[in-house]
Amino acid sequence: MNLIMFDMDGTLYRTETSFFPAVHDFADKYGFLQPSDDFLRGFIGKTGEEWKAWVESLHLGKPTDELDQEFDALERHYVNTQGQLYPGVPDVLRTLAANDWHLGICSNAPPWYPELILTNAGVRDLFDLVRVPKRSGETKPMMLCEVWNELRPEQCAMVGDRADDMQAARTGGYFAIGALYGWAPEELGLADIHIHDIVEVPTALTRHWSLGGKDKGTNAPATVASVTRKP
């Protein structure tokens, strides 16, 4: 089987369409200074521990677990009412599925988050698996290795926009596709290939396995569109 795993935030989903307004409402409710978008981007795609530590530092007068539930309700509202995938995502996913790629999600998000986003977008049925941490301390490298051990794919790739996505791919033996359009293009040094748009994923996969499934070095022919190999 052929398997491609996707990160959620900054790869398939435009996080700013729900996370940012939810934080703004949260700040209005509790009367603390609105954080900047640059500050908020530091939480995107990370585990929830950083977020919880920041919420605790605000000293809002309630238990952190209660505040988390309140924030989740706000974020669910915005996911439901204005959450958006990146343009072209549904078509890319359907193209991959039609070409016998099994699709999966590997995300640090809580379980409800990818399920709700994919269901609202009408693409949940295209995914064979959704992996999120089942216990504290479970990382993306651990999840991707677990998936590989379960499925033993002949060809496997991971698409993401942050360093932990690329590290997970490398650790698990996945072809690492770095999404430069996401939240942390500066973190994609470990990527095997870079893309500027999600629509380039099928081309990146075809090119990689047409070259024998390994990096051919800087003398490899240029890819089409704006797909570029890591120097």
Side-chain angles (χ1 to χ4, degrees):
M1 67 173 291
N2 298 332
L3 173 68
I4 182 165
M5 301 292 291
F6 290 92
D7 169 53
M8 198 80 230
D9 291 308
T11 302
L12 297 182
Y13 184 63
R14 294 184 57 211
T15 319
E16 71 275 16
T17 60
S18 56
F19 179 57
F20 287 12
V23 175
H24 295 160
D25 282 3
F26 196 58
D28 285 343
K29 178 176 181 178
Y30 285 98
F32 60 86
L33 185 66
Q34 292 278 359
S36 69
D37 289 352
D38 281 343
F39 176 76
L40 293 179
R41 72 190 290 270
F43 295 111
I44 296 173
K46 300 296 185 67
T47 66
E49 300 307 313
E50 295 94 336
W51 171 257
K52 288 181 179 180
W54 179 66
V55 171
E56 287 178 356
S57 75
L58 296 173
H59 303 293
L60 300 179
K62 288 185 178 180
T64 303
D65 287 347
E66 185 177 339
L67 292 168
D68 277 348
Q69 291 176 5
E70 290 183 16
F71 183 77
D72 277 357
L74 288 171
E75 193 167 22
R76 282 176 186 263
H77 166 72
Y78 283 109
V79 168
N80 274 322
T81 58
Q82 60 189 50
Q84 298 175 24
L85 299 181
Y86 283 100
V89 165
D91 288 342
V92 168
L93 299 177
R94 293 188 179 99
T95 295
L96 293 170
N99 284 280
D100 297 324
W101 282 91
H102 293 258
L103 310 183
I105 294 291
C106 182
S107 172
N108 287 320
W112 67 265
Y113 186 77
E115 293 287 351
L116 184 59
I117 291 169
L118 298 175
T119 299
N120 285 353
V123 295
R124 178 61 182 88
D125 62 308
L126 299 175
F127 286 85
D128 295 330
L129 67 158
V130 174
R131 292 298 169 95
V132 296
K134 299 186 291 291
R135 58 188 180 277
S136 178
E138 187 173 23
T139 64
K140 283 186 176 180
M142 294 166 64
M143 288 189 282
L144 280 194
C145 285
E146 182 180 75
V147 168
W148 192 92
N149 286 328
E150 289 175 4
L151 302 179
R152 301 283 175 155
E154 295 179 12
Q155 299 175 353
C156 55
M158 170 70 187
V159 188
D161 72 312
R162 303 209 73 134
D164 65 339
D165 298 314
M166 301 300 98
Q167 183 60 56
R170 286 300 186 93
T171 300
Y174 292 66
F175 177 47
I177 302 176
L180 293 174
Y181 58 86
W183 290 102
E186 71 280 2
E187 295 182 9
L188 298 178
L190 288 178
D192 293 309
I193 199 167
H194 293 142
I195 59 172
H196 293 80
D197 193 298
I198 190 68
V199 301
E200 297 164 11
V201 168
T203 298
L205 296 172
T206 299
R207 170 150 183 81
H208 178 64
W209 272 283
S210 73
L211 294 174
K214 57 185 178 180
D215 190 356
K216 297 297 184 181
T218 56
N219 292 325
T223 54
V224 300
S226 55
V227 180
T228 56
R229 283 192 168 274
K230 187 188 74 169

